[in-house]
Amino acid sequence: MAKGLQRGGPPRAWQRMLSGRRLDLLDPSPMDIEIEDIAHGLARVARWNGQTVGDHGFSVAQHSLVVEEIAAHIKPDLEPKWRLAALLHDASEYVIGDMISPFKAALGVSYKDFEARLEDAIHIRFGLPVKTPAPIKKLIKQADRACAFFEATQLAGFEHAESLTIFGAPPAGYELQITPLAPFEAQARYVQRFHVLSRAAGYESAPDAAFETE
């Protein structure tokens, strides 16, 4: 029988993706990671454990699109490769889901190590440096918290003052009105944005035309 399928054997530690890839969760290979699988998964993973208003959950895919946009608002000259890193900042959640911060803290270091291995494999797969420079990580985190502020106040039932206390104020001059997208639309937009940024960063060749990153 195939490894991991024997009765009484070790528990299965891989997941089969819709692309046909089989991703080893304990030792993820960059070659088993596809952007279509990431987009499909993230578009179906809900932020806030689904505790949001609206006809659709606010997906991690849509959240990631907003975070990339906010990062570029904060730093308009941000290189395309770092905008791509911002788009992919939660890509590991296509496998592990979107755990709320308190639960991540309760799980401790082992969870963070698992998450880090998967993030490293994703960066390698798409041509990004394995380790993101500290200033870029700080920028992405700032954009992430700004997006969470808007999500909390508009979708998750937080009071404005409460959100300010937890997430801080969003960057000056940036406004956002959130309308959660259907999964298929969030998925398509995520894949499209990935290719735009990947081409702008020089990781993919454009078919015919130049691509804007705005």
Side-chain angles (χ1 to χ4, degrees):
M1 296 179 71
K3 181 180 178 182
L5 296 180
Q6 303 96 324
R7 292 179 180 176
R12 177 170 62 89
W14 52 265
Q15 180 177 349
R16 187 179 301 282
M17 303 298 169
L18 287 179
S19 65
R21 297 291 190 182
R22 195 170 81 169
L23 183 66
D24 185 332
L25 305 182
L26 300 179
D27 186 22
S29 168
M31 297 306 296
D32 290 327
I33 295 169
E34 302 292 348
I35 193 60
E36 291 79 12
D37 291 330
I38 291 174
H40 183 92
L42 295 187
R44 289 158 179 79
V45 174
R47 296 270 293 168
W48 307 93
N49 281 341
Q51 297 300 306
T52 52
V53 300
D55 294 334
H56 304 290
F58 186 66
S59 70
V60 176
Q62 188 175 357
H63 162 82
S64 299
L65 289 163
V66 176
V67 169
E68 185 257 317
E69 180 180 278
I70 295 175
H73 171 84
I74 298 170
K75 187 175 173 57
D77 62 345
L78 187 62
E79 293 180 61
K81 68 178 179 180
W82 301 131
R83 293 179 69 159
L84 181 61
L87 182 72
L88 294 171
H89 79 284
D90 277 341
S92 62
E93 293 179 6
Y94 89 109
V95 172
I96 60 180
D98 180 33
M99 293 187 182
I100 59 175
S101 296
F103 191 44
K104 286 184 179 181
L107 289 175
V109 175
S110 59
Y111 171 83
K112 292 184 178 179
D113 289 345
F114 177 83
E115 185 178 40
R117 285 196 297 272
L118 187 51
E119 288 174 350
D120 289 351
I122 289 168
H123 274 219
I124 292 170
R125 173 65 177 87
F126 300 121
L128 290 167
V130 174
K131 299 304 178 185
T132 305
I136 300 299
K137 290 184 71 172
K138 183 178 179 180
L139 171 66
I140 293 172
K141 186 62 178 178
Q142 182 183 357
D144 186 50
R145 290 176 66 83
C147 188
F149 169 88
F150 291 111
E151 295 169 27
T153 53
Q154 296 180 31
L155 303 177
F158 284 60
E159 296 293 335
H160 186 272
E162 184 182 14
S163 293
L164 283 176
T165 300
I166 298 173
F167 304 109
Y174 184 84
E175 298 292 336
L176 175 67
Q177 186 63 45
I178 300 175
T179 301
L181 301 173
F184 75 91
E185 187 173 355
Q187 179 177 346
R189 291 191 186 186
Y190 189 93
V191 171
Q192 179 186 43
R193 191 63 182 156
F194 168 83
H195 287 302
V196 168
L197 293 172
S198 186
R199 288 163 184 155
Y203 300 140
E204 290 183 29
S205 58
D208 297 303
F211 287 79
E212 276 292 338
T213 58
E214 293 303 321

